[in-house]
Amino acid sequence: MLQTFFLVVTSILQIQSLEFGESCFANDEPGTCIALSECKPVLSYIEKFGNQIPNNLLQKFQDLTCGYDHSDPLVCCTTSQHITGYFNDFGNQNGGTSVPKRPKPVPTSNSGNWGGQPSKEQTTSNRPTTADTDINKSGRDDDFPDIRQNPNLSLLSSNCGTIESDRIFGGNRTRLFEMPWMVLLSYDSDRGTKLNCGGTLINEWYVLTAAHCVSFLGNRLTLKHVILGEYDTRQDPDCERSEGKEYCAAGIITAEFDEVIPHTGYTPQTLIDDIALIRLKEPADFDLDNIKAICLPITPELQREPLVDNFGVVAGWGVTEEGLQSPVLLSVQLPILSKEKCLQDYSQYSLKINDKQLCAGGLHDKDSCAGDSGGPLLYPGKVGSTGVRYVQRGIVSFGSKRCGISLPGVYTNVAYYMDWILNNIRS
């Protein structure tokens, strides 16, 4: 019976781009993208209907799909209680004919990508209650950690985030050496090597990334290496021609790591505390022009600096508007939004955010997307006596399954985690 159901569902499912074990949303509830055959709440409904699967049930499964593992469909599996609520409009178990609710697009987080292609449909029904959209006030201005006396503050690189006058700020394609703090995370999967997440070097030993890039990966995706000094994944070394002269970077470094430190507060169900550190086995070589550190918001002034209505820069090797992952490091300028505006844009999803998160985007065809997860949201700031530098303000966390459709992305607010970062690094 299940094989028959697979065949029917596979023929109508919209192909998504999430991986097994990644975080997702269904019916406004967080879940995990797993094989349909392993999602017991969904299987219980399949058993009720047998081979007589009503069309409205199949339409519901279109909204649940989050990808494929070879030929087997993957579904966004939430708890039994939530799945029951999701299908409770189908009448009795023999295939009642009650009219299903209008399907809604589903936002999702990801492991290494923002994944998927939901429907562009918008709906005004079933909007969240006031309680659903209340802003969690746990992150107020007086909640910023005072790190000025933290003994590990000296471990962060002082030569960081250099901005050169000829750099393309917010352009599509970056220049060679423009963002030397960018790293790629390499994973082993049953389909070979995947470059699914980004990150940033914060000193010679540590990479800052998203927790969902290193935890809750399932058993089919394993973090293997951190790639330093990358620019164009199609060639090594990377070269660029300017004014008739060719400039080449040093070769990339496929680095091993000896420790992964995800924030213990992160779960795929809550999507908060989406931050992690990776300690390299060997220190990065900052003598190379294509390997440097990014600055972090280490002062009260940087932590409290108003960012709303300013344009930050997101960088990564994510999926482009053509639906293909870019081989070249890209960047895009995105407006940083207030929580109120972000909640308004996501009102149909009962999205909850707090001040430990940032929202940015909402521009058509401009967004962080698949492959950008764990990468930085940058905004320049004054760093000590070194002048204005790029400062990492956010970490790409989650967003809508369809990129660039005027829905903002959600980012971990780095300023609120400076004490966590410093307390988890060592010399």
Side-chain angles (χ1 to χ4, degrees):
M1 179 183 66
L2 187 59
Q3 184 177 6
T4 301
F5 188 84
F6 274 170
L7 292 175
V8 175
V9 172
T10 302
S11 67
I12 64 167
L13 288 179
Q14 301 170 358
I15 296 177
Q16 314 290 327
S17 60
L18 292 183
E19 295 288 340
F20 185 95
E22 294 178 7
S23 305
C24 57
F25 268 88
N27 194 32
D28 298 334
E29 299 293 344
T32 303
C33 185
I34 64 174
L36 176 59
S37 58
E38 298 177 18
C39 185
K40 293 181 180 179
V42 174
L43 288 181
S44 67
Y45 274 86
I46 296 174
E47 292 171 356
K48 287 181 180 181
F49 288 100
N51 291 328
Q52 302 300 317
I53 306 169
N55 289 334
N56 51 3
L57 177 60
L58 295 179
Q59 292 169 359
K60 282 287 184 179
F61 276 104
Q62 288 187 43
D63 200 30
L64 283 180
T65 178
C66 56
Y68 287 93
D69 182 47
H70 299 297
S71 60
D72 292 340
L74 304 179
V75 295
C76 187
C77 192
T78 65
T79 67
S80 177
Q81 176 184 357
H82 297 148
I83 289 290
T84 299
Y86 192 61
F87 289 110
N88 65 6
D89 58 337
F90 284 101
N92 61 54
Q93 65 178 14
N94 294 318
T97 58
S98 59
V99 178
K101 299 174 186 176
R102 189 179 181 188
K104 298 182 291 182
V106 182
T108 182
S109 68
N110 49 77
S111 174
N113 59 58
W114 284 51
Q117 305 294 327
S119 167
K120 286 186 178 180
E121 283 187 84
Q122 303 296 319
T123 178
T124 57
S125 63
N126 300 310
R127 300 183 73 87
T129 64
T130 302
D132 287 328
T133 56
D134 279 347
I135 299 171
N136 186 330
K137 297 294 185 181
S138 64
R140 302 182 304 273
D141 281 350
D142 56 359
D143 286 335
F144 283 111
D146 187 348
I147 60 171
R148 286 171 289 184
Q149 304 303 317
N150 193 302
N152 287 340
L153 188 59
S154 62
L155 299 181
L156 297 180
S157 178
S158 58
N159 183 20
C160 58
T162 303
I163 301 175
E164 297 179 1
S165 60
D166 61 346
R167 282 181 171 166
I168 303 172
F169 189 80
N172 287 326
R173 177 172 177 150
T174 64
R175 303 254 320 259
L176 188 62
F177 308 120
E178 181 178 347
M179 295 188 178
W181 44 80
M182 293 295 298
V183 308
L184 269 170
L185 303 187
S186 176
Y187 301 81
D188 278 353
S189 76
D190 55 1
R191 298 183 184 181
T193 299
K194 289 183 175 291
L195 305 176
N196 272 12
C197 264
T200 50
L201 282 165
I202 60 172
N203 70 8
E204 296 96 331
W205 289 100
Y206 284 92
V207 168
L208 183 65
T209 187
H212 76 256
C213 289
V214 299
S215 58
F216 298 95
L217 298 180
N219 57 7
R220 306 189 188 192
L221 201 64
T222 304
L223 179 64
K224 295 299 291 185
H225 296 103
V226 178
I227 301 176
L228 312 179
E230 184 61 278
Y231 171 68
D232 186 337
T233 61
R234 297 169 299 186
Q235 58 185 14
D236 184 29
D238 293 320
C239 297
E240 183 177 71
R241 183 170 292 277
S242 177
E243 297 180 354
K245 185 177 180 180
E246 186 176 60
Y247 298 87
C248 291
I252 63 169
I253 296 176
T254 302
E256 297 184 344
F257 56 90
D258 62 11
E259 188 177 13
V260 175
I261 312 168
H263 196 291
T264 55
Y266 174 77
T267 71
Q269 286 71 42
T270 64
L271 303 177
I272 61 172
D273 297 330
D274 194 5
I275 185 171
L277 291 164
I278 301 172
R279 181 178 171 88
L280 304 176
K281 274 192 175 181
E282 301 290 338
D285 186 356
F286 282 174
D287 288 333
L288 302 177
D289 289 336
N290 58 335
I291 301 179
K292 303 293 181 184
I294 187 63
C295 300
L296 297 180
I298 59 175
T299 65
E301 293 75 20
L302 286 173
Q303 291 174 330
R304 290 176 169 81
E305 185 175 8
L307 298 177
V308 174
D309 296 331
N310 289 305
F311 276 75
V313 173
V314 178
W317 289 265
V319 172
T320 66
E321 58 271 18
E322 287 82 21
L324 301 174
Q325 191 164 7
S326 172
V328 179
L329 180 62
L330 303 178
S331 68
V332 63
Q333 277 187 292
L334 297 174
I336 300 172
L337 309 177
S338 67
K339 294 185 301 297
E340 291 78 7
K341 177 63 168 69
C342 190
L343 288 168
Q344 178 184 352
D345 290 344
Y346 274 109
S347 59
Q348 65 197 55
Y349 304 113
S350 304
L351 179 67
K352 295 181 181 179
I353 63 171
N354 60 31
D355 283 340
K356 293 185 178 182
Q357 295 165 303
L358 293 169
C359 284
L363 301 179
H364 185 68
D365 288 337
K366 290 187 177 182
D367 201 356
S368 49
C369 204
D372 292 330
S373 274
L377 171 66
L378 307 171
Y379 184 75
K382 192 174 187 302
V383 181
S385 60
T386 60
V388 176
R389 303 291 184 100
Y390 272 124
V391 178
Q392 182 168 353
R393 311 306 182 112
I395 301 169
V396 178
S397 181
F398 68 91
S400 87
K401 291 165 75 175
R402 185 179 181 88
C403 309
I405 59 167
S406 303
L407 283 175
V410 180
Y411 301 76
T412 302
N413 190 341
V414 174
Y416 280 98
Y417 292 90
M418 284 308 306
D419 57 343
W420 181 88
I421 293 171
L422 292 176
N423 291 338
N424 282 281
I425 63 176
R426 53 188 169 87
S427 58

